[in-house]
Amino acid sequence: MDKVTNTKISRAFSKAARWQIIITVLISCVSLLAAGMNAAISAIAGGASVIVGGFAGMMMARRPNGGTPGAILFSMLKAEVIRVLVIAMLLLVAFRYYPGLFPLSLIGGLAGSALASGAGLRTVNNENDD
Amino acid sequence: MGNTVQYLAMVQSYTIIGISLIIGLGAVAACIGISLMCCSFLNGAARQPELIPTLQGKVFLLMGLIDAPFIIGVGLAMMFAFANPLLAVIK
């Protein structure tokens, strides 16, 4: 995979991650005001699991492949599998080993962060306009 | 006492069915979405190979978006598995 493609994927991910962090912090602040410290930590745990999973997926997607469409697609699917597995494992750890977990806040942080990952699309579109 | 145990067992069994439906239907929907997108990617790459790097970044981001409802469903399923709020009504 060439350097330009790697840079594009990294830039798209970093833009998406920025929005994910902003939204997670916002949900965490709302949870802190509404239900206390445990709820805020739960929201951060939910958002962080999506961000860490996305990072793991990006590292997998950046690995060199054959350059043919089929190889690229296979590499992307592998990256997605890694992403989903990492997110599921982190959620499992949070549910299993955090006694003061506030489930609704965790789901809120998770949902906000997962839906905000589409923000990186805007970066890719802007780069195409240039 | 006997009725309570019976209600607990009933809630847990229905919860297991609900968790299976949440994860299973979410996975089927994500698979359909990703297969449609991959089909479009292959079509686009075959027609205009010079656009492959641009399309690759979009495919990576769109996969995350398509999988988002499934991941939210997994989170909800884990909530029902580990901290089922329906059981609190009976206890």
Side-chain angles (χ1 to χ4, degrees):
Chain A
M1 190 185 301
D2 59 340
K3 207 172 177 179
V4 178
T5 310
N6 271 343
T7 309
K8 279 187 177 178
I9 290 177
S10 302
R11 197 174 295 171
F13 172 76
S14 62
K15 203 75 169 178
R18 187 183 305 169
W19 277 104
Q20 284 175 319
I21 290 170
I22 289 171
I23 288 182
T24 303
V25 169
L26 275 179
I27 292 174
S28 172
C29 289
V30 171
S31 301
L32 179 67
L33 292 176
M37 196 53 152
N38 276 333
I41 295 173
S42 301
I44 288 177
S49 60
V50 176
I51 295 169
V52 172
F55 182 74
M58 185 202 69
M59 296 307 285
M60 193 73 190
R62 286 185 59 180
R63 286 175 66 180
N65 51 41
T68 61
I72 290 171
L73 213 49
F74 190 63
S75 162
M76 289 287 156
L77 288 175
K78 273 197 295 187
E80 194 58 27
V81 168
I82 296 289
R83 180 172 176 267
V84 171
L85 280 181
V86 168
I87 292 173
M89 289 302 294
L90 289 176
L91 284 179
L92 191 65
V93 167
F95 271 105
R96 193 83 181 81
Y97 295 109
Y98 181 35
L101 188 76
F102 206 85
L104 280 182
S105 292
L106 186 131
I107 300 292
L110 177 80
S113 185
L115 293 176
S117 66
L121 269 179
R122 206 173 151 211
T123 315
V124 179
N125 284 335
N126 287 344
E127 279 173 0
N128 288 344
D129 293 342
D130 292 341
Chain B
M1 178 66 185
N3 271 345
T4 308
V5 173
Q6 195 175 353
Y7 286 145
L8 276 175
M10 201 167 70
V11 168
Q12 282 181 333
S13 55
Y14 281 134
T15 302
I16 290 171
I17 295 174
I19 288 171
S20 318
L21 285 176
I22 289 172
I23 292 183
L25 291 179
V28 167
C31 284
I32 291 173
I34 284 180
S35 64
L36 287 174
M37 189 191 56
C38 291
C39 175
S40 299
F41 170 73
L42 287 176
N43 262 330
R47 285 173 195 272
Q48 286 180 296
E50 69 273 10
L51 283 182
I52 286 178
T54 307
L55 290 175
Q56 193 174 347
K58 290 187 177 181
V59 165
F60 180 69
L61 286 171
L62 281 173
M63 272 189 182
L65 260 188
I66 291 171
D67 261 355
F70 170 64
I71 289 169
I72 295 169
V74 169
L76 277 174
M78 281 191 184
M79 182 186 86
F80 280 112
F82 290 100
N84 193 349
L86 304 173
L87 289 177
V89 179
I90 296 173
K91 284 172 184 172

